[in-house]
Amino acid sequence: MIKLGVIADDFTGATDIASFMVNAGWKVVLFNGVPAEAFDQEGIDAVVIALKSRSILTKTAVEQSLSASNWLKSQGCKRQLFKYCSTFDSTKEGNIGPVTDALMKNLDAPITLICPAVPDNGRTILQGHLFVKGQLLNQSGMEHHPVTPMRESSLKKLMEAQSTGRCEVIDLDTIKNHVEDIPDALAKLAEEKIKYVICDVLDNNDLLTVARETADYVLITGAAGIGYAIAALDTMHKSADKPAFAISKEGASIVLSGSCSSMTNQQVNFYQQRASSLALDVEKILHEPTYLQTVTGWVVTQKNDALAPMVYATQPPQIIEIIQKNYGAEFVSEKIESFFATLAHNLSKEGFNKFIVAGGETSGAVSQGLNIKGMVIGDAVAPGVPWTQVLDEEKWVILKSGNFGNSDFFLKAQESVK
């Protein structure tokens, strides 16, 4: 029986949490979308379903998430985890709150955990506020996100603004120094009809404490850290052999970057000084039908370079803001995603079989372009960012959330193959 079913609101988040659980010793299968049928569960600890529900209409996000939840229930999965980004990417309307509420109702869960903490990636919670590498969320660069700008760091305020219940915090002193008080604190919150519990988390030991004390929750919500903690508790007294994962040297590699996060900007700047790179012209994407063919041709001419060529739409926030004002944020995003999807499809036919992708929306587009139904999770290049092999194909993909990895990430990803 599956020990945990994960519903992820984007593709990079799915590979992120799958990688963390694999590193904790679990065997994990990842599906791109809700599977159409049952599958052989033998030896599988967790199933991750990757949706593309983070920034779509709330009603559609809820419908997709419930579909995933019901499929997991049909497979005998009694415990589920709603996985969202460790920077709590959302708007005042959702989609984290509405999806959480719908899943709670579907699973008859009176209370759930809100835990985006991932200490390994610098995501911590103190006094209920979310920090990114020591900076408050709303001062971390996420306030400039083109789709989900985060201008508040209080998880309580963020959650209550987009959901139907009340939220409370269990502070760090209790988590670290008074673990014996946590069961009573949780019971009291449940009696008071609190629906969402936030626990302060500074390190992985805190995560283990939180996972242990909420082990009876049928629904957990959060980022990759809590997934790791749940798996680690299960494997703590077991020996788990890590399955071998090999990447073929045959074929060609490509870097595709659509994220506009501050870290991805650094990664693009670092890599373009070392490898062939092409900055996409948004005006041509919008107005020039032959531009896709031009870009495909450029990449193919770099096919035998020592380092993979890079095609990127990554831009500083001020440039993105101008483009969005001229054409509208949603329209531009859709056009760029569609461009990346078709580009990936074209390059696959040209012999490219290793795709290093940066950005949640871009990763979703590339996954669709490559028609990826599922993945086997392999070795991590950075915490939460693994190489994955497409099920039943000689094709390997990295789907990286924008803020993950260091400046040399694109280089490290290729070094790990060699």
Side-chain angles (χ1 to χ4, degrees), residues 4 6 17 20-21 24 26 81 207 220 222-232:
L4 185 68
V6 179
I17 192 167
F20 268 79
M21 292 190 295
W26 269 7
L81 190 156
L207 273 179
I220 296 289
I226 193 64
Y228 168 83
I230 292 170

Side-chain angles (χ1 to χ4, degrees), residues 69-221:
S69 179
N70 287 329
W71 183 86
L72 288 167
K73 286 201 295 185
S74 75
Q75 302 304 298
C77 178
K78 296 182 178 179
R79 195 177 194 213
Q80 297 180 16
L81 190 156
F82 171 37
K83 198 278 176 192
Y84 41 78
C85 188
S86 60
T87 46
F88 209 77
D89 297 24
S90 56
T91 65
K92 289 182 179 179
E93 294 75 31
N95 289 333
I96 293 175
V99 169
T100 298
D101 285 342
L103 292 176
M104 291 180 74
K105 183 177 180 181
N106 195 45
L107 297 172
D108 294 322
I111 191 167
T112 192
L113 177 71
I114 307 297
C115 189
V118 187
D120 286 352
N121 284 329
R123 276 58 166 175
T124 54
I125 304 171
L126 185 61
Q127 295 181 350
H129 286 71
L130 184 57
F131 287 78
V132 178
K133 295 185 177 178
Q135 301 292 319
L136 284 165
L137 175 64
N138 59 327
Q139 298 173 11
S140 66
M142 280 300 297
E143 68 270 26
H144 302 303
H145 194 287
V147 180
T148 52
M150 302 306 296
R151 301 192 175 100
E152 174 62 65
S153 65
S154 167
L155 290 169
K156 175 179 168 64
K157 290 181 180 179
L158 287 167
M159 191 64 189
E160 289 184 343
Q162 56 184 279
S163 62
T164 59
R166 290 183 296 150
C167 187
E168 288 298 339
V169 179
I170 296 181
D171 63 30
L172 190 65
D173 181 52
T174 303
I175 297 297
K176 283 196 175 294
N177 303 317
H178 303 283
V179 178
E180 70 281 1
D181 294 338
I182 296 177
D184 288 342
L186 292 174
K188 183 179 179 182
L189 292 178
E191 288 174 5
E192 295 173 352
K193 306 299 182 185
I194 299 298
K195 289 184 69 174
Y196 324 107
V197 180
I198 300 163
C199 294
D200 283 351
V201 170
L202 286 190
D203 55 39
N204 286 334
N205 284 332
D206 298 337
L207 273 179
L208 290 170
T209 297
V210 173
R212 187 181 297 110
E213 298 302 327
T214 57
D216 60 339
Y217 283 19
V218 295
L219 176 69
I220 296 289
T221 84

Side-chain angles (χ1 to χ4, degrees), residues 293-337:
Q293 183 179 348
T294 300
V295 174
T296 301
W298 178 86
V299 175
V300 172
T301 62
Q302 321 298 322
K303 187 175 182 178
N304 297 318
D305 287 2
L307 289 175
M310 174 175 65
V311 176
Y312 65 97
T314 300
Q315 297 286 353
Q318 59 269 28
I319 301 299
I320 293 296
E321 194 173 328
I322 293 172
I323 295 171
Q324 289 179 339
K325 282 184 179 179
N326 289 339
Y327 297 104
E330 189 172 335
F331 177 75
V332 172
S333 294
E334 288 177 358
K335 290 295 184 181
I336 292 175
E337 288 173 38

